[in-house]
Amino acid sequence: MALVKRMKFVADKLISLQNIISVLILFSLLTLIFIQVLLRYVFNLPLMGIEELMLFPTIWLYMLGAANASEERSHIVVDIADVFIKNQKVLQVIHFVKYLVCVVIGVILTFWFFNFFQYSLNLWKYSPLLSLPMFFAESALFIGVLLMALYSISDFIKHIKSLMTKNDPKQREGVQ
């Protein structure tokens, strides 16, 4: 039981860290946009390369937002089977397959993006105008997909536990 509490503690801290980083990235992105608008339209002095610089926090914010939606289960879901199928056993099997497919796809994508992460680290490409290492933008892909895969695995484990304890599947589904 201590291991479960420790894992829950680590997961909660990871989610908190993810949310804090997302807010900081959002603030930095808004600051860059404000500076760009101020310089371009107020002072008539466009700053070269700010669009390229905004690419880095944008990619990170996008991937962390996708991971956050995965963690909250607030991403787009089409559960049409729930509408037409009334047999709870059949629905449980369908949801089991759904979570299993999410885990398999998440693990496969994580391995692919880990290979891309290594490739990016070894190649160490630079952005065209500011010569910033593209690794810092490209690493967001691996981190985001890794987080989504971890949340899918967590959902899958929760689903299996609820099947073993025979909880109502609607309680487990979260946002519908």
Side-chain angles (χ1 to χ4, degrees), residues 73 77 79 82 95 98 169-170 172-176:
R73 286 183 234 109
V77 177
D79 280 336
D82 291 338
H95 288 296
K98 174 181 76 171
K170 291 294 181 190
R172 186 184 61 257
E173 288 300 315
V175 178
Q176 290 291 323

Side-chain angles (χ1 to χ4, degrees), residues 3-13 158:
L3 179 64
V4 173
K5 285 184 180 181
R6 181 173 286 165
M7 288 179 63
K8 174 82 170 122
F9 176 78
V10 170
D12 289 343
K13 291 299 179 188
K158 288 175 188 174

Side-chain angles (χ1 to χ4, degrees), residues 60-171:
W60 272 98
L61 191 62
Y62 183 81
M63 294 308 293
L64 289 177
N68 189 46
S70 179
E71 185 271 325
E72 292 178 348
R73 286 183 234 109
S74 61
H75 52 291
I76 297 173
V77 177
V78 180
D79 280 336
I80 197 161
D82 291 338
V83 174
F84 292 109
I85 299 172
K86 301 301 179 198
N87 186 336
Q88 289 300 312
K89 296 238 185 241
V90 173
L91 281 175
Q92 287 176 346
V93 169
I94 289 171
H95 288 296
F96 177 82
V97 171
K98 174 181 76 171
Y99 286 118
L100 181 62
V101 167
C102 286
V103 167
V104 169
I105 290 172
V107 169
I108 290 170
L109 287 175
T110 300
F111 279 114
W112 282 353
F113 279 109
F114 179 71
N115 288 335
F116 180 68
F117 178 79
Q118 288 180 318
Y119 167 78
S120 180
L121 183 61
N122 291 333
L123 192 58
W124 205 256
K125 299 180 293 189
Y126 292 98
S127 64
L129 188 60
L130 299 175
S131 295
L132 299 171
M134 291 302 296
F135 170 78
F136 296 116
E138 293 168 347
S139 62
L141 300 171
F142 169 64
I143 301 297
V145 169
L146 175 66
L147 288 170
M148 287 183 260
L150 290 174
Y151 297 140
S152 294
I153 291 168
S154 172
D155 286 344
F156 184 66
I157 291 169
K158 288 175 188 174
H159 181 75
I160 290 174
K161 285 181 180 179
S162 72
L163 289 176
M164 290 179 178
T165 59
K166 300 191 192 249
N167 285 342
D168 181 21
K170 291 294 181 190
Q171 294 174 348

Side-chain angles (χ1 to χ4, degrees), residues 20-36:
I20 289 169
I21 291 172
S22 295
V23 168
L24 292 174
I25 290 172
L26 181 61
F27 180 73
S28 70
L29 188 59
L30 290 173
T31 302
L32 287 171
I33 292 170
F34 177 75
I35 290 169
Q36 173 72 346

